[in-house]
Structure formats: C-alpha cells, structure tokens
Amino acid sequence: MTELYAIYGASGCGRSLMPVAREQLARLKIKAEIVFIDDGLKAPAMVNGHRALNYDDFKQIAAENKFVLIAIANGKIREMLANKLEQDQIALWSIKANNTVTMDDVSVGAGAALSPFVIITSNIKIGKCFHANLYSYVEHDCVIGDYVTFAPGVKCNGNIHIEDHAYIGTGAVIKQGTPDKPLVIGKGAVIGMGAVVTKNVPAGVTVVGNPARILEKK
Ligand code: UDP
C-alpha cells in the first residue's frame, strides 16, 4: 500500500497550490501521487495532469496514509472540511514553496499553505489551515489564529494578533503593534484589498481604504 496526497479544491486556489505541493514532494524525495479532490465533480476527471475526484471517490482509494491540503480560500469551508477529514481520520497536509522563508521560533498549525515568496520571520505562532498567498509576509511576534487567510501581498508587521477566520485582502498593510499593546484584527474580520490598517479592527466587520475604516452595511 502507498501514501496518497491530495489538494482539496480544484478551482483557482487549488490549481495555484498544486505546483507548490509537487515541489514539496520533490524536495522531500517522496514519490507519490497527488490528486485533486473537488465535490463539484460528478465523475473522475483530469485537471492539469492530475486525477481529480470527489471526496466520496477519494475515500474509496486504497492507501496506507492519506494527506490532504485544503486549498479553498474561504476559511469557513476550510473549517468544515477539516472537521470532516478529522472525523474520517485523514491527516491534514501542510505545504510550502521552496523559496518560502521561515526564521526562528515559528510554529505553524496543521494544514498550512505557504505560497512562493512568503516570508515568516521570528517568534510567530500561527493556527490551523493558514493560507499565506504569494509575496505575503508576517513579521516578528505575531499571533495568528485558525483558518486565517492572506490574499497575495499582505504586509503583516510586528506585534499583530489576528483572530480566527479573519480574511486579509490583496496588498493590505497592517501597522505594527507593540509588545504590550499588539494591534488586534478581530475574529472573522475582513480587510479589503489595499487597506492600510492603523488601529484595532473589531470582530466581524469589514474595513477598507487608507486609513482603513469600517464599511457600514447598507
Ligand atoms: N468545494 C468542494 N467541497 C466543498 C466546497 C467547495 O470541493 O465542500 C470546491 C468547489 O467545487 C470549488 C472549490 O472548492 O471547485 C472552491 O472554488 P472557488 O473558486 O470558490 O474558491 P478558490 O479556489 O478561490 O478558493
């Protein structure tokens, strides 16, 4: 029996992360198949040279160990699928590009996807199923919760706390906090693309602009 690796989601996020997954197996000299799982598929198909199948069909494949990276940008869906995998005793897989840089005392939870050119500096704690897309960075002393998503080019400076399920849009800049007063992005907050965040963001709100302000619901 063999090991089987999978990228869950064959849409934009999954197809961008599959080459990172291939790179990772090559780096570790693991010869194994990587398939796509996508529940939008009624029947098995091929996507970018990989077998693609829905979760029920994936479960039927015989393999000694299965590892799954959930490559879907929506953190709520990642949580739902991570819970399903846990119930089925299928392990979460973490991947990172060859040119990702991680420095000292970095702890990243299971199921992370660190895309090319991501930099995570020192003394940083990150929860489950984190996505850091192309060219994002996390500076020193940040604490990041579970199911947090960084679109490309997020500049997360030092001493920032980001709570579970926050979504940080492309190119957002978050001002550094201090050791005694970190800047806090609340649970489930959404930071719009290009926003310049200069102060704490409450849970559940969306902020946009420079300086970032709460987008009132109409
Ligand atoms: N998807 C899935 N199972 C789920 C929810 C979503 O397989 O329970 C798949 C869905 O069919 C789609 C992909 O995940 O192909 C999500 O794609 P989308 O373009 O919405 O997001 P992105 O790739 O940008 O994260």
Side-chain angles (χ1 to χ4, degrees):
M1 293 248 257
T2 50
E3 293 189 328
L4 181 64
Y5 292 81
I7 297 294
Y8 206 141
S11 190
C13 185
R15 283 179 288 109
S16 293
L17 284 169
M18 179 59 91
V20 177
R22 278 200 304 268
E23 197 174 80
Q24 167 134 337
L25 289 195
R27 183 171 69 240
L28 299 175
K29 300 188 171 38
I30 296 170
K31 286 198 190 325
E33 182 183 5
I34 315 175
V35 300
F36 282 110
I37 305 169
D38 198 296
D39 297 309
L41 293 166
K42 291 203 170 52
M46 291 300 286
V47 174
N48 292 354
H50 293 262
R51 281 203 288 168
L53 58 179
N54 63 40
Y55 185 66
D56 289 334
D57 289 341
F58 172 75
K59 278 202 297 185
Q60 299 308 315
I61 301 179
E64 206 163 359
N65 291 302
K66 293 178 179 173
F67 303 93
V68 177
L69 181 273
I70 305 170
I72 296 174
N74 182 316
K76 289 281 173 205
I77 296 179
R78 289 209 298 286
E79 181 175 29
M80 183 267 288
L81 296 177
N83 290 338
K84 181 169 79 172
L85 290 166
E86 193 177 354
Q87 275 174 12
D88 291 338
Q89 295 181 307
I90 296 174
L92 288 174
W93 186 29
S94 292
I95 63 169
K96 60 178 186 176
N98 283 348
N99 68 3
T100 298
V101 177
T102 53
M103 297 184 181
D104 288 336
D105 188 23
V106 172
S107 142
V108 184
L114 307 182
S115 292
F117 302 100
V118 163
I119 300 177
I120 316 271
T121 71
S122 296
N123 306 98
I124 289 161
K125 187 172 169 8
I126 299 174
K128 251 175 130 173
C129 293
F130 177 55
H131 275 199
N133 215 320
L134 309 169
Y135 289 102
S136 290
Y137 72 74
V138 181
E139 253 285 17
H140 63 90
D141 300 302
C142 285
V143 179
I144 295 179
D146 294 332
Y147 308 106
V148 170
T149 309
F150 282 14
V154 168
K155 298 180 193 314
C156 176
N157 291 298
N159 286 300
I160 291 168
H161 289 192
I162 302 183
E163 296 178 351
D164 298 349
H165 285 291
Y167 179 91
I168 320 295
T170 300
V173 182
I174 311 173
K175 186 181 178 184
Q176 72 201 60
T178 57
D180 54 326
K181 206 169 175 239
L183 188 146
V184 179
I185 308 282
K187 187 171 176 178
V190 174
I191 312 299
M193 68 169 77
V196 178
V197 179
T198 56
K199 55 184 189 188
N200 290 353
V201 174
V205 305
T206 298
V207 299
V208 295
N210 177 9
R213 292 191 179 89
I214 294 176
L215 189 67
E216 301 293 347
K217 289 197 179 108
K218 290 195 178 138

